[in-house]
Amino acid sequence: MNSEETAPDRRQLALVFDAPKRGKPPKHWADLSVDDRVQAVQTMGMPKFRAQQLSRHYFEHLNNDPQEWTDLPGALRDELAEQLFPRLLDPVRRLSTDKGMTQKTLWRLHDGALVESVLMRYPKRTTMCVSSQAGCGMACPFCATGKGGLQRNMSAAEIVEQVVDGARALRAGEIPGGAGRVNNIVFMGMGEPLANYKAVVDAVRTIVTPEPNGLGISARGVTVSTVGLVPAIRKLTEEGLPVTLALSLHAPDDELRDTLVPVNNRWNVAEAVDAAYEYSQVTKRRVSIEYALMRDINDQAHRADLLADVLRRKGSGARGYGWVHVNLIPLNEVPGSEFTRSRTEDMAEFVRRLESRGLAATMRDTRGDEIDAACGQLAATES
Ligand code: SAH
C-alpha cells in the first residue's frame, strides 16, 4: 500500500479521537433539522406528533427545561432532559446598565468555556448580540476577544440558546419597559461567525424559521458580521438567507488593514469589498461596513476620502451608492491596548466627508461601555 492510500485513514481516525478533546457540546434539539427532530423522537420510541409538541415548548414558549413540561409523562421528561434538551449554557453572572435596558450575561458552557451575550433594548426594538465561538482566532489587536485566542467553535444550539434566553427574559417582563420581543440578532459577540460557518448558518435557519419549528425572527433582523473571510461570504451569498452582512473593514488601504485586521493578509480590501458587493447584489440587502474610529490610526481625513472611493467604485448605476451603509463605531477602549478613541471633531469630519461623497454613514452608539459589553470588549473572564 502506498502512502497516498493510507493518508485518508489516518485523518479519519484522528477526527474521531479529536472530537471529545475539542469539547464538542452534547447534541440538542436546536441542533437538529425539523426532519431530524421527528426521527429523534421516533428513535426514543415516541410518536411523531411529539416533535411538534417539544418544539412548541422550546421555540414558542421559550421554555428550555423539560421538567416543566407537565403535559408529558415524568419518566419521559427525565429522558428528554438527558438526551435531547441538555443544559448547554449556565449563567455565571449578569450585569446591567442603562437602567436595565442593556444586559450582559456571562455563560459557562458544558466544558467550562466562557462566552458572553448582550441584550440591548431600544424604544422601538430589542437587539441580542450573540457569540459564535468561545474566544476568537482572528487576532485583531484592538479587540479584547482576540487577545485570548480561540478556544472552540460553539454549536448551533449554543448559539440559539443565547437568543432563547433573551427572548424569554423579555417576554417574562424581566427587562424594564414591559413584555417585549427580540427583533434583531447580531453576530457581533465573541468569535468570527464565518469561521464557524455550518453552526452559524444552522442557527440562523432555526432563528428565522416560523414558530413552532423555529424562533420566527425575520431574517431582515439578523446581521452576520465578519472580518472578511471571502470564500465564506461567497458561500453565504448562495444560502438564500436574506440576512444583513456586516464587513469589519476598519481601514480602506491594505497597508493599514494588514495590521488592524490580520486576515487582510489573506483576503485584501478589494477582495473583501468585492465579495460584500456581490452579496448585496444577490440578496438585495444593503451591506454594513463596520469602521471603528481609532485616534490617529484610521481616522484621518484622507482615509475617509479613500474609504469613500473604495466603496463608490462599486456603487454606480441606478441604485446609486445604496448598496452600502457605513457604520462608524467610536472605538471602545480595551485595557492594555495602544488604541484610543478618536477625537470628537475628527469623528465628525470623517462622517462629513463620507456623506459629502454620497455615502450613507451613521455613528453607532456605544451601549454597554460601562459593563465592558460594547463591541470589542467581550473577554469573558470571571473576575
Ligand atoms: N468577528 C466578527 C464579529 C465580532 S466583533 C467581526 O469582526 O466582524 C463585532 C464588531 O465590533 C466588529 O466590527 C469589530 O471589528 C468591532 N470591534 C472590535 N473591537 C472593537 C473595539 N475595541 N471598539 C469598537 N468596535 C470594535
Side-chain angles (χ1 to χ4, degrees), residues 212-299:
N213 291 320
L215 290 169
I217 295 171
S218 160
R220 298 181 157 266
V222 177
T223 298
V224 173
S225 183
T226 178
V227 288
L229 305 184
V230 167
I233 294 174
R234 296 221 179 91
K235 208 165 153 196
L236 190 66
T237 308
E238 305 303 323
E239 291 288 348
L241 274 176
V243 298
T244 299
L245 179 74
L247 172 64
S248 295
L249 201 61
H250 305 308
D253 53 304
D254 288 321
E255 196 184 352
L256 178 58
R257 193 168 191 263
D258 279 348
T259 66
L260 295 180
V261 185
V263 81
N264 196 69
N265 293 283
R266 203 63 177 272
W267 297 285
N268 65 22
V269 171
E271 291 167 312
V273 170
D274 276 359
Y277 175 72
E278 278 308 311
Y279 185 87
S280 75
Q281 297 305 293
V282 172
T283 61
K284 307 280 180 270
R285 303 289 297 142
R286 202 186 226 200
V287 165
S288 290
I289 298 292
E290 310 292 295
Y291 199 106
L293 286 163
M294 306 173 209
R295 181 170 179 160
D296 299 330
I297 301 283
N298 66 353
D299 64 354

Coordinates of all heavy atoms in Angstrom, one line a residue, residues 212-299:
P212 N -44.0 26.8 15.1 CA -43.3 26.4 16.3 C -41.9 25.7 16.0 O -41.2 25.3 17.0 CB -44.2 25.3 16.8 CG -44.8 24.7 15.6 CD -44.9 25.8 14.6
N213 N -41.5 25.6 14.8 CA -40.2 24.9 14.5 C -39.0 25.8 14.6 O -37.8 25.3 14.5 CB -40.3 24.3 13.1 CG -41.2 23.1 13.1 OD1 -41.3 22.4 14.0 ND2 -42.0 23.0 12.0
G214 N -39.2 27.1 14.8 CA -38.0 28.0 15.0 C -38.5 29.2 15.8 O -39.7 29.2 16.3
L215 N -37.7 30.2 15.9 CA -38.0 31.4 16.7 C -38.8 32.4 16.0 O -39.3 33.4 16.6 CB -36.7 32.0 17.3 CG -36.0 31.1 18.4 CD1 -34.7 31.6 18.7 CD2 -36.9 31.0 19.6
G216 N -38.9 32.3 14.7 CA -39.8 33.2 13.9 C -39.3 34.6 13.9 O -40.2 35.6 13.9
I217 N -38.0 34.9 14.0 CA -37.5 36.2 13.9 C -37.1 36.5 12.4 O -36.5 35.6 11.8 CB -36.3 36.4 14.8 CG1 -36.7 36.2 16.3 CG2 -35.6 37.8 14.6 CD1 -35.6 36.1 17.3
S218 N -37.5 37.6 11.9 CA -37.3 37.9 10.5 C -35.8 37.9 10.1 O -35.0 38.5 10.8 CB -38.0 39.2 10.1 OG -37.4 39.7 8.9
A219 N -35.5 37.3 9.0 CA -34.1 37.3 8.5 C -33.6 38.7 8.4 O -32.4 39.0 8.5 CB -34.0 36.5 7.2
R220 N -34.5 39.6 8.1 CA -34.1 41.0 7.9 C -33.6 41.6 9.2 O -32.9 42.6 9.2 CB -35.3 41.9 7.5 CG -35.8 41.4 6.2 CD -37.0 42.3 5.7 NE -37.0 42.1 4.2 CZ -36.5 42.9 3.4 NH1 -35.9 44.0 3.8 NH2 -36.5 42.7 2.1
G221 N -33.9 41.0 10.3 CA -33.4 41.5 11.6 C -32.1 40.8 12.0 O -31.7 41.0 13.1
V222 N -31.6 39.9 11.2 CA -30.4 39.2 11.6 C -29.2 39.8 10.8 O -29.2 40.0 9.6 CB -30.5 37.7 11.3 CG1 -29.2 37.0 11.6 CG2 -31.7 37.1 12.0
T223 N -28.1 40.1 11.6 CA -26.9 40.6 11.0 C -25.7 39.7 11.3 O -25.5 39.4 12.5 CB -26.5 42.0 11.4 OG1 -27.6 42.9 11.1 CG2 -25.2 42.5 10.9
V224 N -25.0 39.2 10.3 CA -23.8 38.4 10.5 C -22.6 39.3 10.2 O -22.5 39.9 9.1 CB -23.8 37.2 9.6 CG1 -22.5 36.4 9.6 CG2 -25.0 36.2 9.9
S225 N -21.7 39.5 11.1 CA -20.6 40.4 11.0 C -19.3 39.5 10.8 O -19.1 38.6 11.5 CB -20.5 41.2 12.3 OG -19.4 42.1 12.2
T226 N -18.5 39.9 9.8 CA -17.3 39.2 9.5 C -16.1 40.1 9.3 O -16.2 41.2 8.8 CB -17.5 38.3 8.3 OG1 -16.2 37.6 8.0 CG2 -17.8 39.1 7.1
V227 N -14.9 39.5 9.6 CA -13.6 40.2 9.3 C -13.4 40.2 7.8 O -12.5 40.8 7.3 CB -12.4 39.5 10.0 CG1 -12.5 39.8 11.5 CG2 -12.4 38.0 9.7
G228 N -14.1 39.3 7.1 CA -13.9 39.3 5.6 C -13.3 38.0 5.1 O -12.4 38.0 4.4
L229 N -13.9 36.9 5.5 CA -13.5 35.6 5.1 C -14.2 35.4 3.7 O -15.3 34.9 3.6 CB -13.9 34.5 6.0 CG -13.4 34.7 7.5 CD1 -13.7 33.5 8.3 CD2 -11.8 34.9 7.5
V230 N -13.5 35.7 2.6 CA -14.1 35.9 1.3 C -14.8 34.6 0.8 O -16.0 34.6 0.4 CB -13.1 36.4 0.3 CG1 -13.6 36.3 -1.1 CG2 -12.8 37.9 0.6
P231 N -14.2 33.4 0.9 CA -14.9 32.2 0.4 C -16.2 32.0 1.2 O -17.2 31.6 0.6 CB -13.9 31.1 0.7 CG -12.6 31.8 0.7 CD -12.8 33.1 1.3
A232 N -16.2 32.3 2.5 CA -17.4 32.1 3.3 C -18.4 33.1 3.0 O -19.6 32.8 3.0 CB -17.0 32.1 4.8
I233 N -18.0 34.3 2.6 CA -19.0 35.3 2.2 C -19.7 34.9 0.9 O -20.9 34.9 0.8 CB -18.4 36.7 2.0 CG1 -17.8 37.3 3.3 CG2 -19.3 37.7 1.4 CD1 -17.0 38.6 3.2
R234 N -18.9 34.3 0.0 CA -19.4 33.8 -1.2 C -20.4 32.7 -1.0 O -21.5 32.6 -1.6 CB -18.3 33.3 -2.2 CG -17.4 34.4 -2.6 CD -17.0 34.3 -4.0 NE -16.1 35.4 -4.4 CZ -14.7 35.3 -4.3 NH1 -14.2 34.1 -3.9 NH2 -14.0 36.3 -4.6
K235 N -20.1 31.8 -0.1 CA -21.0 30.7 0.2 C -22.3 31.2 0.8 O -23.4 30.8 0.5 CB -20.2 29.8 1.2 CG -20.7 28.4 1.2 CD -19.7 27.5 1.9 CE -20.3 26.2 2.4 NZ -19.5 25.6 3.5
L236 N -22.2 32.2 1.7 CA -23.3 32.8 2.4 C -24.2 33.4 1.3 O -25.5 33.4 1.5 CB -22.9 33.8 3.4 CG -24.0 34.3 4.4 CD1 -24.6 33.2 5.3 CD2 -23.5 35.4 5.2
T237 N -23.6 34.0 0.3 CA -24.4 34.6 -0.8 C -25.4 33.7 -1.4 O -26.4 34.0 -1.9 CB -23.4 35.2 -1.8 OG1 -22.4 36.0 -1.2 CG2 -24.1 36.0 -2.9
E238 N -24.9 32.4 -1.4 CA -25.7 31.4 -2.1 C -26.7 30.7 -1.2 O -27.4 29.8 -1.6 CB -24.8 30.3 -2.8 CG -23.8 30.9 -3.7 CD -24.4 31.7 -4.8 OE1 -25.5 31.3 -5.3 OE2 -23.8 32.7 -5.2
E239 N -26.8 31.0 0.1 CA -27.6 30.3 1.0 C -29.1 30.6 0.9 O -29.9 29.8 1.4 CB -27.2 30.5 2.5 CG -25.9 30.0 2.9 CD -25.9 28.5 3.1 OE1 -26.9 27.8 3.1 OE2 -24.7 28.0 3.2
G240 N -29.4 31.7 0.2 CA -30.8 32.1 0.2 C -31.4 32.5 1.5 O -32.6 32.4 1.8
L241 N -30.5 33.0 2.4 CA -30.9 33.6 3.7 C -30.7 35.1 3.6 O -29.6 35.5 3.7 CB -30.0 33.0 4.8 CG -30.3 31.7 5.4 CD1 -29.1 31.3 6.4 CD2 -31.6 31.6 6.1
P242 N -31.8 35.8 3.5 CA -31.5 37.3 3.4 C -31.2 38.0 4.6 O -31.8 39.0 5.1 CB -32.9 37.8 2.8 CG -33.9 36.8 3.3 CD -33.2 35.5 3.6
V243 N -30.1 37.6 5.3 CA -29.6 38.3 6.5 C -28.7 39.5 6.0 O -28.2 39.5 4.9 CB -28.8 37.3 7.4 CG1 -29.6 36.2 7.9 CG2 -27.5 36.8 6.7
T244 N -28.5 40.4 6.9 CA -27.6 41.5 6.6 C -26.2 41.1 6.9 O -25.9 40.4 7.9 CB -28.0 42.7 7.5 OG1 -29.3 43.1 7.2 CG2 -27.0 43.9 7.2
L245 N -25.3 41.4 5.9 CA -23.9 41.2 6.1 C -23.2 42.4 6.6 O -23.4 43.5 6.0 CB -23.3 40.7 4.8 CG -21.8 40.4 4.8 CD1 -21.6 39.1 5.5 CD2 -21.2 40.4 3.4
A246 N -22.4 42.3 7.6 CA -21.6 43.4 8.0 C -20.1 43.0 7.8 O -19.7 41.9 8.2 CB -21.8 43.7 9.5
L247 N -19.4 43.9 7.2 CA -18.0 43.7 6.9 C -17.1 44.6 7.8 O -17.3 45.8 7.7 CB -17.6 43.9 5.4 CG -16.2 43.9 5.0 CD1 -15.5 42.5 5.3 CD2 -16.0 44.3 3.6
S248 N -16.3 44.0 8.7 CA -15.5 44.8 9.5 C -14.3 45.3 8.8 O -13.3 44.6 8.7 CB -15.1 44.0 10.8 OG -16.2 43.7 11.5
L249 N -14.3 46.5 8.2 CA -13.3 46.9 7.3 C -12.2 47.7 8.1 O -11.0 47.3 8.1 CB -13.9 47.8 6.2 CG -13.0 48.0 5.0 CD1 -12.8 46.6 4.3 CD2 -13.7 49.0 4.0
H250 N -12.5 48.7 8.8 CA -11.7 49.4 9.7 C -10.5 50.2 9.0 O -9.8 51.0 9.7 CB -11.1 48.6 10.8 CG -12.2 47.9 11.6 ND1 -13.2 48.6 12.2 CD2 -12.4 46.6 11.9 CE1 -14.0 47.7 12.8 NE2 -13.5 46.5 12.7
A251 N -10.2 49.9 7.8 CA -9.2 50.7 7.0 C -9.5 50.5 5.5 O -9.9 49.4 5.1 CB -7.8 50.2 7.3
P252 N -9.3 51.5 4.7 CA -9.6 51.5 3.3 C -8.4 51.0 2.5 O -8.5 50.7 1.3 CB -10.0 52.9 3.0 CG -9.2 53.7 3.9 CD -9.0 52.9 5.2
D253 N -7.2 51.0 3.1 CA -5.9 50.6 2.4 C -5.3 49.4 3.1 O -5.4 49.2 4.3 CB -5.0 51.8 2.5 CG -4.7 52.2 3.9 OD1 -5.7 52.6 4.6 OD2 -3.5 52.2 4.4
D254 N -4.7 48.6 2.2 CA -4.2 47.3 2.7 C -3.0 47.5 3.7 O -2.9 46.7 4.6 CB -3.7 46.4 1.5 CG -4.8 45.9 0.7 OD1 -5.8 45.5 1.3 OD2 -4.7 45.9 -0.6
E255 N -2.3 48.5 3.5 CA -1.1 48.7 4.4 C -1.6 48.8 5.8 O -1.0 48.1 6.7 CB -0.4 49.9 4.0 CG 1.0 50.0 4.6 CD 1.7 51.3 4.2 OE1 1.2 52.1 3.4 OE2 2.8 51.5 4.8
L256 N -2.6 49.6 6.1 CA -3.1 49.7 7.4 C -3.9 48.5 7.8 O -3.8 48.0 9.0 CB -3.9 51.0 7.6 CG -4.5 51.2 9.0 CD1 -3.4 51.3 10.0 CD2 -5.3 52.5 9.0
R257 N -4.8 48.1 6.9 CA -5.7 47.0 7.3 C -4.9 45.7 7.6 O -5.4 44.9 8.4 CB -6.8 46.7 6.2 CG -7.9 45.8 6.7 CD -9.1 45.8 5.8 NE -10.3 45.2 6.4 CZ -10.6 43.9 6.2 NH1 -9.9 43.1 5.4 NH2 -11.6 43.4 6.8
D258 N -3.8 45.5 7.0 CA -3.0 44.3 7.3 C -2.6 44.3 8.8 O -2.5 43.2 9.3 CB -1.6 44.3 6.5 CG -1.8 43.9 5.0 OD1 -2.8 43.3 4.7 OD2 -0.8 44.1 4.3
T259 N -2.5 45.4 9.4 CA -2.1 45.4 10.8 C -3.3 45.4 11.7 O -3.2 44.9 12.8 CB -1.3 46.7 11.1 OG1 -2.1 47.9 11.0 CG2 -0.1 46.8 10.2
L260 N -4.5 46.0 11.3 CA -5.6 46.1 12.2 C -6.5 44.8 12.1 O -7.1 44.4 13.1 CB -6.5 47.3 11.8 CG -5.9 48.7 12.0 CD1 -6.9 49.8 11.6 CD2 -5.5 48.9 13.5
V261 N -6.6 44.3 10.9 CA -7.4 43.1 10.7 C -6.5 42.0 10.0 O -6.5 42.0 8.8 CB -8.7 43.4 9.9 CG1 -9.6 42.2 9.7 CG2 -9.4 44.6 10.4
P262 N -5.8 41.3 10.8 CA -4.7 40.4 10.2 C -5.1 39.5 9.0 O -4.3 39.2 8.1 CB -4.2 39.6 11.4 CG -4.5 40.5 12.6 CD -5.8 41.2 12.2
V263 N -6.4 39.2 9.0 CA -6.9 38.3 7.9 C -6.8 39.0 6.6 O -6.9 38.4 5.5 CB -8.3 37.8 8.2 CG1 -9.4 38.8 7.9 CG2 -8.6 36.5 7.5
N264 N -6.5 40.3 6.6 CA -6.4 41.1 5.3 C -5.2 40.6 4.5 O -5.1 40.7 3.3 CB -6.2 42.5 5.7 CG -6.4 43.4 4.4 OD1 -7.6 43.5 3.9 ND2 -5.4 44.0 3.9
N265 N -4.2 40.0 5.2 CA -3.1 39.4 4.5 C -3.5 38.3 3.6 O -2.8 37.9 2.7 CB -2.0 39.0 5.5 CG -1.4 40.1 6.3 OD1 -0.6 40.9 5.7 ND2 -1.8 40.4 7.5
R266 N -4.6 37.7 3.9 CA -5.1 36.6 3.1 C -6.1 37.1 2.0 O -6.0 36.7 0.9 CB -5.8 35.7 4.1 CG -6.1 34.3 3.8 CD -4.9 33.3 3.7 NE -5.6 32.0 3.4 CZ -5.9 31.2 4.4 NH1 -5.6 31.5 5.7 NH2 -6.6 30.1 4.2
W267 N -7.1 37.9 2.5 CA -8.1 38.5 1.5 C -8.0 39.9 1.8 O -8.4 40.4 2.9 CB -9.5 37.9 1.8 CG -9.5 36.4 1.5 CD1 -9.5 35.8 0.3 CD2 -9.6 35.4 2.5 NE1 -9.6 34.5 0.4 CE2 -9.6 34.2 1.8 CE3 -9.6 35.4 3.9 CZ2 -9.6 32.9 2.4 CZ3 -9.6 34.1 4.5 CH2 -9.6 32.9 3.8
N268 N -7.6 40.7 0.8 CA -7.4 42.1 1.0 C -8.6 43.0 0.9 O -9.7 42.4 0.6 CB -6.2 42.6 0.0 CG -6.6 42.5 -1.4 OD1 -7.8 42.5 -1.7 ND2 -5.7 42.5 -2.3
V269 N -8.5 44.3 1.0 CA -9.6 45.2 1.0 C -10.4 45.0 -0.3 O -11.7 44.9 -0.2 CB -9.1 46.7 1.1 CG1 -10.3 47.6 0.8 CG2 -8.5 46.9 2.5
A270 N -9.8 45.0 -1.4 CA -10.5 44.9 -2.7 C -11.3 43.6 -2.8 O -12.5 43.6 -3.2 CB -9.6 45.0 -3.9
E271 N -10.7 42.5 -2.4 CA -11.4 41.2 -2.4 C -12.6 41.2 -1.4 O -13.6 40.7 -1.8 CB -10.4 40.1 -2.1 CG -9.4 39.9 -3.2 CD -8.2 39.0 -2.8 OE1 -7.6 39.2 -1.7 OE2 -7.8 38.1 -3.6
A272 N -12.4 41.7 -0.2 CA -13.4 41.7 0.8 C -14.6 42.6 0.3 O -15.8 42.2 0.4 CB -12.9 42.1 2.1
V273 N -14.3 43.8 -0.2 CA -15.3 44.7 -0.7 C -16.1 44.1 -1.9 O -17.3 44.2 -2.0 CB -14.7 46.1 -1.0 CG1 -15.8 47.0 -1.7 CG2 -14.3 46.7 0.4
D274 N -15.3 43.5 -2.8 CA -16.0 42.8 -3.9 C -17.0 41.8 -3.5 O -18.1 41.7 -4.0 CB -14.9 42.0 -4.8 CG -14.2 43.0 -5.8 OD1 -14.6 44.2 -5.8 OD2 -13.3 42.5 -6.5
A275 N -16.5 40.9 -2.5 CA -17.4 39.8 -2.1 C -18.7 40.4 -1.4 O -19.8 40.0 -1.5 CB -16.7 38.9 -1.1
A276 N -18.5 41.5 -0.6 CA -19.6 42.2 0.1 C -20.5 42.8 -0.9 O -21.8 42.7 -0.8 CB -19.1 43.2 1.0
Y277 N -20.0 43.4 -2.0 CA -20.8 44.0 -3.0 C -21.6 42.9 -3.7 O -22.9 43.1 -3.9 CB -19.9 44.7 -4.1 CG -20.7 45.2 -5.2 CD1 -21.5 46.3 -5.0 CD2 -20.6 44.6 -6.5 CE1 -22.3 46.8 -6.1 CE2 -21.4 45.1 -7.5 CZ -22.2 46.2 -7.3 OH -22.9 46.7 -8.4
E278 N -21.0 41.8 -4.1 CA -21.7 40.7 -4.7 C -22.9 40.2 -3.8 O -24.0 39.9 -4.2 CB -20.8 39.5 -5.0 CG -20.0 39.6 -6.2 CD -20.9 40.0 -7.5 OE1 -21.9 39.2 -7.7 OE2 -20.6 40.9 -8.2
Y279 N -22.6 40.2 -2.5 CA -23.6 39.7 -1.5 C -24.8 40.7 -1.6 O -26.0 40.2 -1.7 CB -23.0 39.7 -0.1 CG -24.0 39.2 0.9 CD1 -24.1 37.8 1.2 CD2 -24.9 40.0 1.6 CE1 -25.0 37.3 2.1 CE2 -25.8 39.5 2.5 CZ -25.9 38.2 2.7 OH -26.8 37.7 3.6
S280 N -24.5 42.0 -1.7 CA -25.7 42.9 -1.7 C -26.5 42.8 -3.0 O -27.7 42.9 -3.0 CB -25.1 44.3 -1.6 OG -24.5 44.8 -2.8
Q281 N -25.8 42.5 -4.1 CA -26.5 42.4 -5.4 C -27.4 41.2 -5.5 O -28.5 41.2 -6.0 CB -25.4 42.3 -6.6 CG -24.6 43.6 -6.7 CD -25.5 44.9 -6.8 OE1 -26.2 45.1 -7.8 NE2 -25.5 45.7 -5.7
V282 N -26.9 40.0 -4.9 CA -27.6 38.8 -5.0 C -28.8 38.8 -4.0 O -29.9 38.4 -4.3 CB -26.7 37.6 -4.8 CG1 -27.5 36.3 -4.7 CG2 -25.7 37.4 -5.9
T283 N -28.5 39.3 -2.8 CA -29.5 39.2 -1.7 C -30.4 40.4 -1.6 O -31.4 40.4 -0.9 CB -28.9 39.0 -0.3 OG1 -28.1 40.2 -0.1 CG2 -28.0 37.8 -0.2
K284 N -30.0 41.5 -2.3 CA -30.8 42.7 -2.3 C -30.8 43.3 -0.9 O -31.7 44.1 -0.5 CB -32.2 42.6 -2.8 CG -32.3 41.9 -4.2 CD -32.1 43.0 -5.3 CE -32.2 42.4 -6.6 NZ -30.9 41.9 -7.2
R285 N -29.8 43.0 -0.1 CA -29.7 43.5 1.2 C -28.5 44.5 1.3 O -27.5 44.2 0.8 CB -29.4 42.4 2.3 CG -30.5 41.3 2.3 CD -31.8 41.7 2.9 NE -31.7 42.2 4.3 CZ -32.3 43.2 4.8 NH1 -33.1 43.9 4.1 NH2 -32.2 43.5 6.1
R286 N -28.7 45.6 1.9 CA -27.7 46.6 2.0 C -26.6 46.1 3.0 O -26.9 45.6 4.0 CB -28.3 47.8 2.6 CG -27.5 49.1 2.3 CD -28.2 50.2 3.1 NE -28.4 51.4 2.2 CZ -28.6 52.6 2.7 NH1 -28.8 52.8 4.0 NH2 -28.7 53.6 1.9
V287 N -25.4 46.1 2.6 CA -24.3 45.7 3.4 C -23.8 46.8 4.4 O -23.9 48.0 4.0 CB -23.1 45.3 2.5 CG1 -21.8 45.1 3.3 CG2 -23.4 44.0 1.8
S288 N -23.5 46.4 5.6 CA -22.9 47.4 6.5 C -21.4 47.3 6.5 O -20.8 46.2 6.5 CB -23.3 47.1 7.9 OG -24.7 47.3 8.1
I289 N -20.7 48.4 6.5 CA -19.3 48.4 6.6 C -19.0 48.9 8.0 O -19.4 50.0 8.4 CB -18.6 49.4 5.6 CG1 -18.9 48.9 4.1 CG2 -17.1 49.5 5.8 CD1 -18.2 47.6 3.7
E290 N -18.3 48.1 8.8 CA -18.0 48.5 10.2 C -16.6 49.2 10.2 O -15.7 48.7 9.6 CB -18.0 47.3 11.1 CG -19.2 46.4 11.0 CD -20.5 47.0 11.5 OE1 -20.5 47.3 12.7 OE2 -21.4 47.3 10.7
Y291 N -16.6 50.3 10.9 CA -15.3 51.0 10.9 C -15.2 51.6 12.3 O -15.9 52.6 12.7 CB -15.4 52.1 9.8 CG -14.0 52.7 9.4 CD1 -13.5 52.3 8.2 CD2 -13.3 53.6 10.2 CE1 -12.3 52.8 7.7 CE2 -12.1 54.1 9.8 CZ -11.6 53.7 8.5 OH -10.4 54.3 8.1
A292 N -14.3 51.1 13.1 CA -14.1 51.6 14.5 C -13.1 52.7 14.4 O -12.0 52.5 13.9 CB -13.6 50.5 15.4
L293 N -13.5 53.9 14.8 CA -12.6 55.0 14.7 C -11.5 55.1 15.8 O -11.8 55.2 17.0 CB -13.4 56.3 14.7 CG -14.2 56.5 13.3 CD1 -15.3 57.5 13.5 CD2 -13.2 56.9 12.2
M294 N -10.3 55.0 15.4 CA -9.1 55.0 16.3 C -8.3 56.2 16.1 O -7.9 56.5 15.0 CB -8.3 53.7 16.1 CG -9.1 52.4 16.1 SD -8.2 51.0 15.6 CE -9.5 50.0 14.9
R295 N -8.0 56.9 17.2 CA -7.3 58.1 17.1 C -6.0 58.1 16.4 O -5.1 57.3 16.8 CB -7.1 58.6 18.6 CG -6.4 59.9 18.7 CD -6.5 60.3 20.2 NE -5.9 61.6 20.4 CZ -6.1 62.4 21.4 NH1 -7.0 62.0 22.4 NH2 -5.5 63.5 21.6
D296 N -5.8 58.9 15.4 CA -4.6 59.0 14.6 C -4.1 57.7 14.0 O -3.0 57.5 13.6 CB -3.4 59.6 15.5 CG -3.8 60.9 16.0 OD1 -4.5 61.7 15.3 OD2 -3.3 61.3 17.1
I297 N -5.0 56.7 14.0 CA -4.6 55.4 13.3 C -5.4 55.3 12.0 O -4.8 55.2 10.9 CB -5.0 54.2 14.2 CG1 -4.3 54.3 15.6 CG2 -4.7 52.9 13.5 CD1 -2.9 53.9 15.6
N298 N -6.7 55.4 12.0 CA -7.5 55.2 10.8 C -8.5 56.3 10.6 O -9.4 56.2 9.8 CB -8.2 53.8 10.8 CG -9.3 53.7 11.9 OD1 -9.4 54.6 12.8 ND2 -10.0 52.7 11.9
D299 N -8.4 57.4 11.4 CA -9.4 58.4 11.4 C -9.1 59.7 10.6 O -9.7 60.7 10.8 CB -9.8 58.8 12.8 CG -8.7 59.4 13.6 OD1 -7.6 59.4 13.1 OD2 -9.0 59.8 14.8

